[in-house]
Amino acid sequence: MVYLYAKAVHIIFVVCWMAGLFYIVRLFIYHTEAKSKSAEEYGVLHKQFILMESKLWWIITTPAMYLTIVAALVMLYINPGLLTMGWMHVKLTFVLGLILYHFACQRIMFQLKGESSAWSSTKLRLWNELATVLLFAIVFTVVLKSALNWIFGVLGLLILSISLMMAVKLYKKFRNKSNSNKTLNS
């Protein structure tokens, strides 16, 4: 029964962690785009984004990551046989990638706070898609387990990644065109 409680806690905090990771990068994008405002507007927005990013990061995202890991360790302790399964090794590799992504986001947050970030909003949009790709990889690995056909899995992730990158590029093109039309109409 403890295993099922740990599993439920694990799933709940994975959802919270992913929500935090998705939203933090959106905040980074808005924070970066605020640089194009007047110095006065940027000053106000910069302070507000620092506050929002900090609260999201330290109250939701990071605690959710640690609770996700603790619940996973409880499940692995109760059922150590999981560690002998190939799909679990693959999942844990993707999870390690997600943890590295988490700490890379933390670094970006500190850079934005110190006004030393060199990330453009387009690069941040692409960066945001990496979390999506890792989430897909983890979920498909867990659900399909040993039935996963690795060639199709890798091709699927590649196609997903390319599709997401194309969507970001199309969105940028649409946004630039929309902004150009607004400028012309002003």
Side-chain angles (χ1 to χ4, degrees), residues 1 5 8 27 31 42 55 60 66 76-77 81 111 136 143 153 167-168 182:
M1 196 62 160
Y5 282 114
L27 289 176
H31 195 160
Y42 173 69
K55 285 185 175 186
I60 297 170
Y66 285 119
L76 291 173
Y77 177 78
Q111 289 172 344
F136 269 70
V143 170
V168 167
K182 286 180 186 175

Side-chain angles (χ1 to χ4, degrees), residues 62-131:
T62 298
M65 177 193 67
Y66 285 119
L67 289 167
T68 296
I69 292 168
V70 167
L73 292 173
V74 168
M75 289 188 297
L76 291 173
Y77 177 78
I78 292 170
N79 188 359
L82 289 170
L83 290 172
T84 65
M85 299 179 179
W87 68 267
M88 181 58 76
H89 298 164
V90 173
K91 177 198 175 187
L92 292 175
T93 301
F94 287 132
V95 169
L96 177 62
L98 195 57
I99 292 169
L100 294 172
Y101 178 89
H102 178 99
F103 287 109
C105 285
Q106 183 173 301
R107 188 165 155 241
I108 295 168
M109 182 178 72
F110 290 145
Q111 289 172 344
L112 284 166
K113 182 179 182 179
E115 300 187 70
S116 62
S117 174
W119 289 76
S120 69
S121 62
T122 301
K123 286 182 181 175
L124 286 167
R125 281 182 173 83
L126 290 171
W127 176 251
N128 199 34
E129 302 312 326
L130 179 57

Side-chain angles (χ1 to χ4, degrees), residues 151-163:
I151 294 172
F152 289 119
V154 169
L155 285 175
L157 283 174
L158 195 59
I159 290 168
L160 173 66
S161 301
I162 291 168
S163 299

Side-chain angles (χ1 to χ4, degrees), residues 17-31 49-58 61 101-102 104-106 108-109 112 124 127-128 131:
W17 183 22
M18 292 307 303
L21 288 175
F22 289 143
Y23 188 49
I24 196 76
V25 181
R26 292 304 313 165
L27 289 176
F28 295 165
I29 292 165
Y30 302 144
H31 195 160
F49 282 123
I50 288 171
L51 177 67
M52 293 169 67
E53 291 161 0
S54 180
K55 285 185 175 186
L56 174 63
W57 197 253
W58 300 115
T61 311
Y101 178 89
H102 178 99
C105 285
Q106 183 173 301
I108 295 168
M109 182 178 72
L112 284 166
L124 286 167
W127 176 251
N128 199 34

